[in-house]
Amino acid sequence: MLDIAFAKPSLPESGALVLPLAEEDLGGLLLAEWDRLLGGHVARGLAAAEFKGRKGQTVSLYAPGGGLSRLLLVGLGKREALDAAGAEAAGGAAVAALGKEGVASIDARALGSGAAAADLALGAALRSWRFDRYRTKEKPEDKPRLTGIKILCDDPAAARAGWPARKAVAEGVFLTRELVSEPANILSPPEFADRLRKLEKLGVEVEVLGQKDLEKLGFGSMLCVSQGSAQPPRMVVMRWNGTDQKKRDSQPIAFIGKGVTFDTGGISIKPAGGMEDMKWDMAGAGVVSGLMAALAGRRAKADVVGIVGLVENMPSGTATRPGDVVTSYSGQTIEVINTDAEGRLVLADVLAYCKKRFDPAFMIDLATLTGAIIVALGNEHAGLFSNDDGLARRIEEAGRAVGEHAWRMPMGEAYDRQIRSDIADMKNVGGGRAGGSITAAQFIARFVDGCPWAHLDIAGVAWSGKDGPTVPKGATAWGVRLLDRLVADHHEGRIALPAPEPAVTEAAAVSGAGSASAALLSEGTPASEPLAPSPDAPAAPAAAPAPETAAAVPTSPARRPSTRRPRR
Amino acid sequence: MLPRFRLTADPRGRHPIAVPVRPGQPPPEGCRAAADAAGFDPAAGTALRLDGVLRRPVWLVGAPDGLEAAGARAAAALLEEDAPDAPPGPAARRPARHRRAMLDARGLLPAEVAALAMGAGMRAHPLPFLGARPPPALHRLDLLVDDPDAAAPALRRTEALLRATGLARDLAAEPANRLTPAEFARRLTALERPGLSVTIHGRAWLERRGYGGLLAVGRGSAHPPALAVLRWAGAGGAPVAFVGKGITFDTGGISIKPAAGMEAMKGDMAGAAACAGAVLALALRGSPCAAVAVLAIAENATGAESYRPGDVLRTASGLTVEVVDTDAEGRLVLADALHHAGTLAPRAVIDLATLTGAIVRALGHQRAGLFGNDAVLRDALMAAGDAVGEPLWPMPIGAAHRSDLASDIADLRHCLPPPDPNRGGTGWAGKFLPDAAHAAAFLRDFVPPGTPWAHLDIAGMDVREEGVESGPYPLPPGPSGYGVRLLDRLVEGRFE
């Protein structure tokens, strides 16, 4: 990570100086001060380059005097629109432009408070991340040389106070990005689990279950995904309890991640083109891992469980065949129609297990689950499915605060009917290509057993093809910051958890008498589309709201057909 | 319009009678023993025929899911019923034994009677049949009520909606050799009788005004394109505009579609048909709200004059568009129609189109996609959709969806090229294009600034198919008329 220091403003001896400026700052005191220190270069250069301070605008003035190698002006846009995201973006833009410099200072005074200086630092750190461990021939002059930045602000103590928590979040993001970027021959399920054991150093309890443990538990659904691979499966159960309550008295919150370290599709094999991307089919698990690192790293006062199901989906003589029927941990049977719909099979067992063992206040799962969600929403929004309106709303709000947007998608009985099976309790796909991400969510919903639950389909947002302000090209770690913010805003330092708000079930198709709208109105509005906030959907009247529950889970079924058990 | 409804308090007659039975309600007098013996359960939503208990066939129709669904169930039962001495064979060939039936609506409020009639009317509406022996149809449906006068206004309203929805369904069901753009225009002109003012702008007018999008899409066809404007004056004031995609047949053009399933493309004008139906509904019930439907009508055919991928078109608004895929033609004609609607100073613009396969992948056949720029309009549409059983779901237009449409040669392009399997580098995620959002981002550029606008992508909702569950109750395979009642309810709830 970049070395970050905060200090009172002074003329740097050498290196680069970055000056973020809002549009209103042109002709202001800050600029005048630097102009004086640098002998008038700034004003001349600014005028020549026609720098207006617009958002994202950057101008470099080389050898501006005062021993500096470069003065970089970064536009912040209008002061009134400036927020944490703007400060972070400025830090990121600075780092992106400063690649060849060894040492740099950033004058954060235009941003205002001490917290903003810390945000700037976070943006810089996030943008500076690089995954180059497999490069053996890179010349030193091609590598970025920036090792540290000094952030100049009026109140360095305040900024320093705000930095450690942000730094911990950055470390969590970096862990996720690293896990997601690792190719599948390196990051197998056992290797992934081994890396997670290192979180014990931060105080996270880490429990690793292997093939035999999962067989004993009856994880027929998850194991049918891994059975074709030479790599054994792993389930890693992590717990961070930063509250002062004992574990047995505390009701944790839970995050679950899909960890398919490589997805060939199995017997329902994927086409060759683009299959290399499937090394990041474990991004959901990566995010949960990074989140645990972030929460533990900043000693969050929350009781959090993180569980990841790690498998590799391969075609082979022992692989699951389309048409196979497996029995899940919950006892429900699943007809596997398409072995490439494997993420939901892993989540089914992990979610049911999590509910049974921990009875959490809520479960949020993340998964790079369907191509259909990319067709639906593109690459700026993750799909959000939930049986609890309050939880969904809080996730959307947290996302808006950190710039990771979730968009609520519908669920309902009509979609659920599409996964009915003729010979088992359900199929793992349904409805052809129509509504693919929704039927996937309906499948998963059958395994949450009434727990407040949200599912984030991150297939479109987990990997980026181009650099962003704080996210370089590649693994985005979408979700770490959102969930960290969710925990910080609602689940730290207090006993009372928000009350469950079961989603209103789909209104009877046609009431004939003008029913009140049961529409669930989501508000995820990207910056390009300012919308007035809409009123919340009215709670259902007298009719008891029945949350979408999984079918009743028998605790000890009399006799269950065993799944095929390859030798390990 | 079939079936014709008649309100009556006189229960006598020999024609079959269908009785809706809600869960918890006992079956009618005289039927109880037989119903129990047959194990009839209203909660199961089935229909049971009882002969011999009354001096006419009786259908007990379970109504666990509302009266409109029960009405549809009753009509289905009445239409399917076999004459006892009918020859074996497909239903379409059997003679219609009963063309008249009765629905027992006693004990129901006027709104409930209307709901029952709506469901029955929707189910019993005879779609166009061009063979020698049309399937049996219900010609007359008597509604047995306690007070005919009290129920009359609500029933009249329902009949207006059924006529309007029927118009939309009939238009969409017509094959493209019959419903050419000219014929479509002619049928719209006939709507002057109920009180609409209809203007059809032909090719010469479109060329004079530079409606390059509509002209280009329609150029490959032997049938020239047209822009139809249907106006309902209401009580005056700024109109609500409904803009519809009216592609009478979509081959895809030069970017031709695969053969499989192409016959469904006769229905690619369902959006325009729904807009026409909506304005008709407002006229038939004398709505005070002024409305205008702007329909872009063309046939997207392959021909020597077809427009080509790579062409740059100048649309009516002045924006130039680079064509990438001639099968993304709906948004091109809508661009011109939206511009035209803007010249009429509307209060709001709502466009309907069977636009993208992407929306079906996103939302399936249960909800239409809703994009727009105005939260209040969006909420009003959501509420209207839920109230009439034509549900929607809001979808985002992100910044990237618009920036993806940047063009090297024109103001913008209308879609992204489909991923090329021969060219590497797009990865797995790059194979999936959010085309519905791209289309919405494209259309947004043609809406006059400051005008509340909503875009409904109804590609998954316009047709009922065998084996595909869609909508609150089953309808026979064919166009569903999605959108007519939604827009009518929107106007009633928001603009009156």
Side-chain angles (χ1 to χ4, degrees):
Chain A
M1 164 135 28
L2 270 188
D3 195 39
I4 307 280
F6 298 95
K8 279 218 183 297
S10 65
L11 180 61
E13 286 164 4
S14 63
L17 173 67
V18 181
L19 203 49
L21 294 168
E23 286 178 22
E24 293 86 342
D25 290 325
L26 297 171
L29 291 171
L30 185 63
L31 201 51
E33 181 191 322
W34 283 110
D35 197 33
R36 196 172 35 85
L37 282 170
L38 296 172
H41 269 89
V42 184
R44 283 195 293 273
L46 209 146
E50 293 185 358
F51 181 77
K52 298 279 187 288
R54 271 194 285 274
K55 198 164 188 183
Q57 194 181 15
T58 55
V59 164
S60 283
L61 304 173
Y62 293 95
L68 297 175
S69 60
R70 162 160 41 160
L71 176 65
L72 175 70
L73 303 168
V74 176
L76 296 172
K78 291 207 183 322
R79 161 137 293 122
E80 64 196 0
L82 194 53
D83 56 1
E88 289 172 20
V95 162
L98 287 177
K100 297 288 188 279
E101 307 286 346
V103 130
S105 308
I106 308 184
D107 186 346
R109 283 179 288 173
L111 295 168
S113 65
D119 289 332
L120 180 87
L122 177 60
L126 289 174
R127 182 69 173 80
S128 71
W129 183 86
R130 198 163 185 264
F131 189 74
D132 52 13
R133 68 179 57 166
Y134 298 115
R135 290 184 183 272
T136 64
K137 290 211 181 337
E138 212 172 16
K139 297 203 196 75
E141 51 265 31
D142 293 330
K143 278 195 209 258
R145 262 174 270 162
L146 194 64
T147 52
I149 48 178
K150 189 162 21 168
I151 302 192
L152 310 173
C153 49
D154 287 322
D155 190 356
R160 234 173 268 133
W163 176 236
R166 288 174 176 75
K167 180 168 185 224
V169 172
E171 299 280 17
V173 167
F174 291 174
L175 173 64
T176 300
R177 288 184 187 169
E178 178 188 301
L179 290 168
V180 174
S181 302
E182 287 280 20
N185 58 325
I186 307 294
L187 197 77
S188 60
E191 169 64 16
F192 197 148
D194 287 344
R195 293 198 191 188
L196 291 180
R197 274 191 232 269
K198 299 206 194 104
L199 292 177
E200 286 172 335
K201 275 194 244 157
L202 291 173
V204 178
E205 281 172 33
V206 179
E207 196 185 319
V208 179
L209 288 82
Q211 173 77 26
K212 288 209 174 45
D213 306 310
L214 298 173
E215 279 176 7
K216 254 207 301 265
L217 284 171
F219 270 48
S221 181
M222 175 169 161
L223 289 174
C224 89
V225 179
S226 63
Q227 70 187 50
S229 170
Q231 297 291 343
R234 294 284 184 266
M235 180 167 74
V236 181
V237 181
M238 298 171 276
R239 188 160 187 179
W240 162 258
N241 184 0
T243 65
D244 44 21
Q245 281 184 299
K246 295 246 191 306
K247 265 193 329 199
R248 60 169 178 270
D249 301 323
S250 157
Q251 189 185 30
I253 55 179
F255 300 97
I256 290 97
K258 164 187 172 183
V260 177
T261 59
F262 194 80
D263 184 18
T264 60
I267 299 292
S268 313
I269 199 167
K270 289 185 189 296
M275 211 205 285
E276 67 275 13
D277 281 356
M278 290 297 104
K279 73 178 187 181
W280 49 258
D281 210 23
M282 33 55 66
V287 170
V288 171
S289 310
L291 175 67
M292 298 306 289
L295 294 172
R298 66 176 181 79
R299 329 230 38 89
K301 293 188 178 43
D303 185 7
V304 182
V305 165
I307 314 186
V308 296
L310 309 173
V311 299
E312 190 187 53
N313 188 18
M314 300 288 277
S316 76
T318 55
T320 298
R321 291 142 293 258
D324 285 2
V325 174
V326 300
T327 304
S328 65
Y329 171 78
S330 71
Q332 297 177 87
T333 54
I334 304 163
E335 185 187 3
V336 179
I337 298 297
N338 186 327
T339 66
D340 195 13
E342 84 293 337
R344 61 198 78 175
L345 296 174
V346 174
L347 291 172
D349 278 348
V350 179
L351 283 164
Y353 171 82
C354 180
K355 166 73 165 105
K356 180 113 186 293
R357 177 169 166 188
F358 295 105
D359 190 25
F362 66 67
M363 298 195 287
I364 299 179
D365 76 74
L366 295 98
T368 45
L369 205 63
T370 62
I373 203 67
I374 311 179
V375 175
L377 301 173
N379 302 105
E380 288 169 85
H381 296 83
L384 169 61
F385 302 80
S386 179
N387 63 2
D388 186 300
D389 290 341
L391 180 60
R393 214 173 28 245
R394 288 190 290 279
I395 292 174
E396 287 170 330
E397 275 164 16
R400 275 195 291 278
V402 301
E404 296 183 341
H405 301 285
W407 188 269
R408 188 100 182 257
M409 294 288 285
M411 296 182 71
E413 269 191 51
Y415 294 112
D416 192 71
R417 280 196 281 273
Q418 289 175 26
I419 55 172
R420 278 184 302 193
S421 161
D422 292 329
I423 66 166
D425 294 328
M426 68 193 87
K427 299 194 285 203
N428 76 330
V429 288
R433 293 183 119 199
S437 54
I438 305 177
T439 48
Q442 294 292 154
F443 179 92
I444 298 169
R446 293 185 180 212
F447 295 90
V448 307
D449 193 19
C451 186
W453 154 82
H455 158 59
L456 286 162
D457 192 334
I458 59 171
V461 297
W463 190 272
S464 171
K466 48 187 169 63
D467 293 325
T470 54
V471 182
K473 179 170 150 182
T476 61
W478 190 104
V480 175
R481 297 187 59 195
L482 185 160
L483 296 177
D484 171 76
R485 174 62 74 105
L486 179 77
V487 171
D489 284 350
H490 298 286
H491 297 281
E492 272 189 79
R494 50 169 120 138
I495 315 279
L497 294 162
E501 286 177 50
V504 180
T505 48
E506 220 170 55
V510 175
S511 68
S515 58
S517 166
L520 301 158
L521 305 172
S522 55
E523 269 192 68
T525 52
S528 67
E529 223 193 26
L531 293 182
S534 59
D536 278 347
E548 331 244 15
T549 54
V553 172
T555 40
S556 51
R559 186 201 303 260
R560 297 199 300 226
S562 60
T563 50
R564 172 115 198 231
R565 299 170 192 189
R567 301 250 186 97
R568 287 259 180 255
Chain B
M1 176 186 94
L2 293 183
R4 286 198 328 278
F5 290 100
R6 187 180 72 111
L7 288 164
T8 177
D10 181 2
R12 291 170 303 174
R14 296 300 201 105
H15 303 287
I17 182 167
V19 184
V21 182
R22 285 185 271 204
Q25 220 186 348
E29 279 301 320
C31 302
R32 216 156 296 183
D36 289 341
F40 175 71
D41 178 15
T46 51
L48 172 70
R49 176 175 165 160
L50 298 174
D51 288 312
V53 288
L54 303 179
R55 297 170 92 208
R56 67 202 296 182
V58 175
W59 284 92
L60 297 182
V61 178
D65 45 2
L67 284 163
E68 188 174 324
R73 194 168 294 123
L78 293 165
L79 283 165
E80 298 296 313
E81 74 161 358
D82 296 339
D85 50 8
R93 301 237 183 82
R94 293 187 210 119
R97 172 77 175 237
H98 297 284
R99 289 156 163 233
R100 188 173 157 191
M102 182 175 275
L103 288 178
D104 188 347
R106 287 176 292 193
L108 297 181
L109 298 167
E112 294 171 323
V113 177
L116 197 66
M118 174 71 80
M122 286 290 287
R123 178 63 181 80
H125 173 88
L127 289 169
F129 185 85
L130 303 168
R133 312 263 299 275
L138 271 175
H139 285 222
R140 182 147 132 204
L141 213 43
D142 294 332
L143 295 162
L144 181 63
V145 290
D146 303 308
D147 183 353
D149 291 331
L155 181 66
R156 267 200 294 282
R157 176 76 183 265
T158 296
E159 284 174 320
L161 286 171
L162 283 170
R163 263 187 74 182
T165 310
L167 169 77
R169 291 170 78 187
D170 288 348
L171 287 169
E174 282 282 359
N177 60 324
R178 287 166 53 97
L179 197 79
T180 58
E183 173 62 14
F184 195 172
R186 198 194 61 74
R187 294 205 195 182
L188 292 171
T189 310
L191 297 177
E192 286 183 324
R193 209 138 40 86
L196 299 178
S197 91
V198 181
T199 313
I200 309 289
H201 298 295
R203 187 164 61 186
W205 185 96
L206 295 171
E207 279 171 357
R208 271 202 308 277
R209 306 294 182 100
Y211 279 53
L214 181 52
L215 285 167
V217 170
R219 204 169 60 221
S221 168
H223 309 280
L227 188 74
V229 183
L230 287 67
R231 247 179 272 251
W232 166 246
V240 179
F242 306 137
V243 175
K245 167 186 177 184
I247 302 291
T248 58
F249 193 81
D250 185 15
T251 62
I254 297 294
S255 315
I256 200 168
K257 288 186 189 295
M262 213 204 286
E263 65 275 13
M265 290 298 108
K266 69 180 185 180
D268 210 21
M269 28 58 66
C275 291
V279 178
L280 176 65
L282 298 178
L284 289 174
R285 66 174 179 82
S287 164
C289 175
V292 62
V294 180
L295 312 180
I297 304 175
E299 185 188 49
N300 188 18
T302 46
E305 305 251 351
S306 287
Y307 76 126
R308 291 148 291 257
D311 283 2
V312 174
L313 314 174
R314 183 173 295 276
T315 62
S317 70
L319 284 173
T320 54
V321 178
E322 178 191 359
V323 176
V324 172
D325 183 341
T326 66
D327 196 12
E329 84 293 342
R331 61 198 77 177
L332 294 174
V333 305
L334 282 174
D336 279 348
L338 282 169
H339 170 80
H340 188 83
T343 65
L344 305 172
R347 295 164 73 171
V349 179
I350 299 114
D351 73 71
L352 273 82
T354 46
L355 205 62
T356 63
I359 205 65
V360 183
R361 284 195 78 176
L363 298 174
H365 297 285
Q366 273 66 43
R367 290 180 180 269
L370 169 59
F371 301 81
N373 65 1
D374 186 280
V376 175
L377 181 60
R378 176 193 68 189
D379 294 352
L381 277 162
M382 292 292 291
D386 281 341
V388 301
E390 297 185 345
L392 309 160
W393 191 263
M395 299 289 283
I397 305 177
H401 295 140
R402 177 57 181 87
S403 62
D404 282 349
L405 298 179
S407 162
D408 293 329
I409 191 173
D411 291 322
L412 74 168
R413 44 186 186 168
H414 64 141
C415 67
L416 260 57
D420 182 0
N422 294 325
R423 198 187 314 181
T426 46
W428 172 83
K431 294 193 215 173
F432 301 98
L433 293 180
D435 188 45
H438 284 144
F442 176 81
L443 292 173
R444 191 174 52 183
D445 274 21
F446 297 90
V447 177
T451 309
W453 160 72
H455 160 58
L456 273 61
D457 193 334
I458 64 170
M461 303 300 291
D462 64 306
V463 161
R464 296 299 183 87
E465 290 169 80
E466 203 75 59
V468 174
E469 188 190 329
S470 168
Y473 49 81
L475 289 176
S480 62
Y482 182 98
V484 176
R485 292 190 292 153
L486 170 68
L487 294 178
D488 171 76
R489 179 64 71 112
L490 171 76
V491 167
E492 183 192 21
R494 171 103 190 98
F495 294 108
E496 279 177 4

